[in-house]
């Protein structure tokens, strides 16, 4: 049974930074790919970043490239998303996700098999 628990969300002014964390069960960290997906009210889910658990290769959506960094600490079973230069359009619920088989790329993260409960990020305009 895969468990993913996110934390680190909050409200921050535009231009600020937040770091999200996702602690996963051992099962999640045996899988091929983990990532972050976000959903704003009234909008579709958007995959923002993905990382190969074994090799550490990372991928980003164009909307966050250069501002967000995905990383992992396998010893702690923890996935991170460092978010810098935050914009009002980054406001959303952020979820971490894991999948053993799907292509490891941001556009596939919304369909990943396992997903946590989410953590809210708010950047007031």
């Amino acid at each position: 049974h895969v468990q993913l628990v996110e934390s680190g969300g909050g409200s921050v002014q535009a231009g600020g930074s937040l770091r999200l964390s996702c602690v996963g069960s051992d099962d999640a960290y045996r899988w091929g790919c983990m990532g972050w997906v976000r959903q704003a009210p009234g909008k579709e889910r958007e995959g923002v970043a993905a990382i190969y658990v074994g090799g550490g290769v990372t991928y980003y959506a164009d909307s966050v490239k250069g501002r967000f960094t995905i990383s992992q600490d396998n010893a702690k079973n923890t996935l991170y998303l460092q978010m810098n230069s935050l914009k009002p359009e980054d406001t959303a619920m952020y979820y971490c996700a894991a999948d053993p088989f799907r292509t490891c790329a941001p556009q596939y993260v919304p369909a990943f098999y396992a997903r946590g409960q989410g953590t809210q990020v708010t950047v007031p305009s």
Side-chain angles (χ1 to χ4, degrees):
H1 178 64
V2 176
Q3 291 186 320
L4 299 168
V5 180
E6 303 93 336
S7 63
S11 182
V12 62
Q13 291 188 344
S17 299
L18 283 174
R19 188 177 79 158
L20 306 183
S21 300
C22 172
V23 178
S25 59
D26 285 344
D27 305 69
Y29 278 81
R30 294 194 191 104
W31 290 5
C33 184
M34 297 190 74
W36 289 92
V37 56
R38 66 186 181 185
Q39 187 166 24
K43 295 188 177 180
E44 293 186 356
R45 291 181 188 142
E46 177 191 16
V48 297
I51 184 169
Y52 274 112
V53 175
V57 180
T58 59
Y59 306 90
Y60 298 94
D62 287 343
S63 58
V64 305
K65 199 172 293 182
R67 300 188 298 123
F68 290 11
T69 302
I70 187 171
S71 63
Q72 60 190 31
D73 184 337
N74 289 341
K76 297 180 179 179
N77 283 2
T78 303
L79 182 73
Y80 300 101
L81 185 68
Q82 177 67 44
M83 305 185 295
N84 299 327
S85 302
L86 282 161
K87 305 175 181 180
E89 51 263 43
D90 294 319
T91 295
M93 185 72 79
Y94 283 72
Y95 304 86
C96 70
D99 197 281
F101 302 121
R102 292 187 186 272
T103 301
C104 198
Q107 62 265 40
Y108 297 104
V109 177
F112 276 14
Y113 177 77
R115 189 169 67 241
Q117 295 300 306
T119 185
Q120 177 70 36
V121 172
T122 302
V123 187
S125 55

